Each structure stands twice: as C-alpha cells, then as structure tokens.
C-alpha cells in the first residue's frame, strides 16, 4: 500500500470515528460507511441514501472474531465463514442483546447482517477504525449500485465526507445474503456465492422468493430496485427503435454495449451496473433492452437484479 493510500485510510478512519460518512470500495460494490456503534452516524446513512427506515444495513467486520461482540453465531456460520470469508457472503444472525452496535442497523429486527469484505482497502479501513462499519451500497435508495468511485460521487457526492477510490469493483454484484437466524438457512438475496456452494458446506438451503408471501423476507426484497431511470425490457433478441441494446454473448449488429462478448457470466456481473449506468441516458435512448442471460451460477444473481431493474416502479 502506498504512503498516499495509507494517509487517506488514516483520514477516513478519523472521519468515521468522529461520526462522519466515508464511502469505500469492496470486492462487490462501493459501500457508504459509518461507525456502526454510533446511532447518529448510522442515521446519516439512511438520510444520505433516502433509504426507508425499515430496511436494515449490513455491518462490515475485518475478521470472524469481531462477530462475537455483535451476534450469536452458530456452527453453520463458522463453517461457511471458514469457506467464504473474507468474501461476498453476508450472514443474517441473531443479534446479541448487549452489542454496542446501534439498533438502527437492524431497523427494528432482532437480527443483524454481517460481512467481512475481501478488499485490501476496506480491510485496512476496518483495522484503522477498529470498529464495525455499517455500509449499504453507496447509491440513492432504489437505484443502481456503484462499482466505481465516480458512480458514488455522481449520486451521493455532496452527502459523504470522503470517497476512498479503489478503482472498479472486481465482482460488481452485491453479496449473497443468507439468513441463518432460524433453523432453515435461506437465501434472501442471490449473489456471487451460490446456493449450491453454500449447500455443499451446510446442506440444503431455501431460496426465498420475493413473490411468495410465506417465504422469509428480507426487508430489502422490494420488487423494484437497482433501477436505472429509463424503462427496461428483458430477454430482448434485438433493439426496437429508440432502445439501447445491452448484449450478452454474440450480439446482433447495433448493440450499444456487451456484458460479455464471450458469454462469460463473471465478466458480465462485473460489467452490469457500470453498463446500465452508461446506457441510462434520456438524451440518447427511450429504453434499455437486455439480451437473455443464462440462469446459472452468478447468472442467477444477474437475472435477479435485472428483474428488479425492470419491475414496475413503486
Ligand atoms: O455487497 C454488499 O452486500 C454491499 C457491500 C457494500 O458490502 N452492501 C449492500 O448493502 O448491498 P445494501 O444495504 O444495499 O443491501 C443489504 C441487504 C438489503 O437487501 C437488506 O434488506 C438486507 O441486506 N439486510 C440487512 N440486514 C438484514 C437483516 N437483519 N435481516 C434481513 N435482511 C437484511
Ligand atoms: Mg443497495
């Protein structure tokens, strides 16, 4: 790490300890960070994002051993954390009643979401602050998550005290959210770590379906989410007049951008949000049409985000 980077991290840590907001990169998307032990700081996160107060936040930690002060983990958590942490897997656990983490992050639930990001800058910042950081994606609530520092500055620039620039995020899609607060493990948000990968460690996992009212719910499972300003059309074979075509794999002539010309899902995930932002231009297009993406591996998470981006806006 360069001297300049180390100095920025020290500044960021000072701002966070003083109750300010610092956006920082993770391997998934940029997070809008606040000291999770300060209620006033976490309240600023909700205000900056325009986030509904019923939608809880993820608490970021540097290591597994930070969890004991925050939540009540079980064997399933430890086995999965050994396999996937640091990394893009968030656990919803039962909250410790005596934790110093503010209740605001849980938005009234008796659970708490925790994740250890796999990113050197994020980890260095956590170690410098020496406190867990509440950090939702650093975008206005409901819009597309930021995968570059420029995206954060464009949507929240005047509301954050500092943006740490770590370049483009490697994974590009938000973490898998896995609910371990009950007896049956349930995926509340599909992401980079698949149900199969989780199942290989702890056995069968439920897929919580946002359209099924009896399924366990993540308050963040709103039908419309991750939405660009323009209307979206999915499973498009080609563009209709006025549409920007976002291709996947071999593309028809006139495609505006291609998630992955070679049909690689990992590359497509890393490109998705930046390309949606690039095409979200009312001056040039009337809508964004997206070619089909295979429902396999991280393609499941890509399609989840695309369906929400295309859902009727609330
Ligand atoms: O990759 C990520 O997870 C990124 C980076 C910054 O870590 N963060 C992120 O945070 O995507 P956010 O706030 O945009 O999404 C968090 C999701 C929401 O859907 C929220 O409802 C859910 O996690 N969540 C948080 N706490 C929860 C809880 N106690 N119970 C159920 N769902 C929870
Ligand atoms: Mg978000």
């Amino acid at each position: 790490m360069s001297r300049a980077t180390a100095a920025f991290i020290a500044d960021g840590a000072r701002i966070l300890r003083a109750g300010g907001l610092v956006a920082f990169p993770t391997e998934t998307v940029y997070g809008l960070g606040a000291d999770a032990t300060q209620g006033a700081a976490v309240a600023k996160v909700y205000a900056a994002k325009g986030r509904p107060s019923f939608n809880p936040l993820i608490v970021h930690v540097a290591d597994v051993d930070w969890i004991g002060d925050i939540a009540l983990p079980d064997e399933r958590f430890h086995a999965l954390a050994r396999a996937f942490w640091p990394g893009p897997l968030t656990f919803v656990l039962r909250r410790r009643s005596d934790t110093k983490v503010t209740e605001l992050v849980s938005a009234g639930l008796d659970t708490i979401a925790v994740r250890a990001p796999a990113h050197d800058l994020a980890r260095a910042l956590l170690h410098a602050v020496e406190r867990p950081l509440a950090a939702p994606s650093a975008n206005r609530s409901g819009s597309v998550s930021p995968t570059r520092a420029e995206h954060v500055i464009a949507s929240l620039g005047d509301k954050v005290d500092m943006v740490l620039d770590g370049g483009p995020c490697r994974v590009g899609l938000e973490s898998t959210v896995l609910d371990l607060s009950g007896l049956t493990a349930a995926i509340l948000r599909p992401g980079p770590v698949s149900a199969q990968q989780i199942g290989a460690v702890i056995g069968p996992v439920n897929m919580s379906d946002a359209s099924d009212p009896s399924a366990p719910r993540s308050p963040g499972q709103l039908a419309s989410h991750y939405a660009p300003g323009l209307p979206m059309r999915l499973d498009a074979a080609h563009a209709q007049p006025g549409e920007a075509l976002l291709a996947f794999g071999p593309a028809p002539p006139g495609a505006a951008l291609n998630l992955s010309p070679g049909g690689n899902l990992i590359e497509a995930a890393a490109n998705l949000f930046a390309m949606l932002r690039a095409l979200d231009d009312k001056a040039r297009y009337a809508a964004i049409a997206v070619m089909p993406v295979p429902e396999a591996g991280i393609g499941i998470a890509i399609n989840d985000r695309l369906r929400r981006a295309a859902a009727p806006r609330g």
Side-chain angles (χ1 to χ4, degrees), residues 29 49 51 136-140 142-143 145 174 189 225-226:
V29 301
K49 281 185 60 90
R51 185 177 182 108
S137 53
N139 53 280
R140 297 277 308 165
S143 73
S145 292
E174 306 87 348
R189 178 174 72 183
H225 212 74
Y226 315 104

Side-chain angles (χ1 to χ4, degrees), residues 266-289:
I266 291 175
E267 180 186 25
N271 284 331
L272 178 67
F273 289 149
M275 289 188 173
L276 284 178
R277 279 172 186 268
L279 297 180
D280 193 14
D281 182 351
K282 277 202 188 74
R284 295 176 65 199
Y285 304 113
I288 303 171

Side-chain angles (χ1 to χ4, degrees), residues 127-306:
H127 280 299
V129 183
E130 296 182 292
R131 292 182 194 163
L133 296 177
S137 53
N139 53 280
R140 297 277 308 165
S141 180
S143 73
V144 177
S145 292
T147 54
R148 295 165 190 252
E150 304 89 88
H151 301 161
V152 181
I153 292 162
S155 69
L156 295 177
D158 53 339
K159 300 196 171 65
V160 296
D161 298 300
M162 183 179 193
V163 180
L164 285 169
D165 187 349
C169 298
R170 178 170 57 79
V171 177
L173 274 191
E174 306 87 348
S175 62
T176 306
V177 178
L178 178 70
D179 186 358
L180 292 181
S181 66
L183 284 179
T184 312
I187 290 182
L188 303 182
R189 178 174 72 183
V193 178
S194 70
Q196 258 166 336
Q197 287 174 292
I198 293 167
V201 178
I202 59 164
V205 196
N206 273 1
M207 278 300 288
S208 151
D209 177 353
S211 63
D212 173 1
S214 68
R217 279 296 186 102
S218 188
Q221 277 179 330
L222 307 171
S224 171
H225 212 74
Y226 315 104
L230 288 177
M232 301 262 303
R233 186 168 68 86
L234 304 186
D235 294 322
H238 39 68
Q240 287 169 3
E243 282 183 341
L245 183 68
L246 180 56
F248 176 83
L257 288 173
N258 199 324
L259 289 167
S260 171
N264 180 314
L265 287 168
I266 291 175
E267 180 186 25
N271 284 331
L272 178 67
F273 289 149
M275 289 188 173
L276 284 178
R277 279 172 186 268
L279 297 180
D280 193 14
D281 182 351
K282 277 202 188 74
R284 295 176 65 199
Y285 304 113
I288 303 171
V290 190
M291 286 176 68
V293 173
E295 185 80 1
I298 200 168
I300 294 172
I302 294 174
N303 284 321
D304 168 76
R305 305 307 187 272
L306 285 173

